[in-house]
Amino acid sequence: KAGVTQTPRYLIKTRGQQVTLSCSPISGHRSVSWYQQTPGQGLQFLFEYFSETQRNKGNFPGRFSGRQFSNSRSEMNVSTLELGDSALYLCASSWSDLGETQYFGPGTRLLVL
Amino acid sequence: AQSVAQPEDQVNVAEGNPLTVKCTYSVSGNPYLFWYVQYPNRGLQFLLKYITGDNLVKGSYGFEADFNKSQTSFHLKKPSALVSDSALYFCAVRDIWAVRDDKIIFGKGTRLHILP
């Protein structure tokens, strides 16, 4: 069974631009979560989707948004990029939203110049 | 709200010695606890989890973790460390009974160095 895939793997943007990251969960998984990882802040929760509905949201500004499609694929969008948005963005999928083990993708490394 | 702490930023262990990576947590209800490992330029890999049952949980690559409810700890252990165990380790907690706040919270990570 294929693992979680994320595209693109690397991205360079400039301040003020927007970016969309994509995540394809493991087949059959209906829950997708997004995390931001930085050396200073560690792993921070962005949001969680289950069956196209946002279940949980972390403490990030409204510039960060996401959605989930009927095939469980998910996208997250960051508008008006800031230098501090440079990070590794990780997507994780699980079969359900009830504390099941999350399986992580390789991440998208975003660099904002 | 739930929280998790990994008190050590870095742990150094000689190859062949036992290793322990510490984790303490705080939840209002019953915790689901997880350990993940991250190798350079990779996503997180699942090691083990505690939901209920035996306090000693066995996981991948010879790792195990000890759930201690009275001390609210979930320390990761391995009897004999390998150089290949060198990586970044994350503890995570989820309180699935927390209404509208049952997201998974990760610790800041502990970097494990196994010295040859």
Side-chain angles (χ1 to χ4, degrees):
Chain A
K1 187 181 280 191
V4 178
T5 58
Q6 292 186 245
T7 56
R9 291 293 311 279
Y10 303 93
L11 206 49
I12 299 176
K13 292 286 188 178
T14 56
R15 279 183 302 173
Q17 287 187 309
Q18 76 164 16
V19 66
T20 299
L21 311 182
S22 181
C23 171
S24 292
I26 292 172
S27 178
H29 285 192
R30 294 195 294 162
S31 177
V32 173
S33 297
W34 289 90
Y35 298 87
Q36 182 196 64
Q37 186 179 18
T38 59
Q41 297 297 320
L43 206 63
Q44 292 190 288
F45 172 80
L46 280 157
F47 20 68
E48 177 185 18
Y49 288 89
F50 179 75
S51 293
E52 302 179 67
T53 301
Q54 187 178 89
R55 286 195 70 253
N56 276 303
K57 191 176 190 304
N59 297 323
F60 279 81
R63 300 185 296 108
F64 291 80
S65 62
R67 59 179 176 169
Q68 186 180 32
F69 302 96
S70 58
N71 61 359
S72 294
R73 192 177 68 85
S74 178
E75 289 182 346
M76 67 163 281
N77 184 78
V78 187
S79 62
T80 320
L81 284 166
E82 300 177 359
L83 297 180
D85 297 332
S86 296
L88 180 66
Y89 290 87
L90 292 166
C91 166
S93 77
S94 60
W95 186 74
S96 75
D97 58 344
L98 299 176
E100 293 286 332
T101 301
Q102 291 189 330
Y103 294 90
F104 283 78
T108 294
R109 188 164 295 280
L110 172 65
L111 177 61
V112 182
L113 302 176
Chain B
Q2 63 267 36
S3 65
V4 61
Q6 295 181 242
E8 302 154 317
D9 290 336
Q10 182 170 309
V11 171
N12 297 323
V13 177
E15 187 177 24
N17 283 2
L19 69 87
T20 298
V21 184
K22 296 179 180 177
C23 171
T24 59
Y25 65 91
S26 174
V27 298
S28 55
N30 291 321
Y32 280 19
L33 293 155
F34 304 85
W35 275 102
Y36 287 85
V37 60
Q38 186 178 34
Y39 297 99
N41 300 314
R42 303 279 294 276
L44 275 66
Q45 294 179 32
F46 169 75
L47 280 178
L48 51 80
K49 68 180 177 184
Y50 172 84
I51 295 177
T52 188
D54 289 340
N55 290 341
L56 184 64
V57 180
K58 294 190 182 296
S60 307
Y61 313 120
F63 284 94
E64 56 190 30
D66 196 4
F67 172 66
N68 188 317
K69 188 172 184 177
S70 63
Q71 297 185 3
T72 61
S73 67
F74 190 56
H75 301 331
L76 182 70
K77 300 180 179 182
K78 187 173 182 180
S80 179
L82 301 172
V83 172
S84 57
D85 293 331
S86 298
L88 185 59
Y89 289 80
F90 291 94
C91 180
V93 65
R94 186 170 192 166
D95 182 357
I96 66 165
W97 303 113
V99 178
R100 291 193 296 275
D101 190 23
D102 64 344
K103 56 184 178 292
I104 291 182
I105 301 296
F106 282 82
K108 289 197 174 294
T110 298
R111 190 162 296 282
L112 179 62
H113 287 285
I114 306 301
L115 309 171

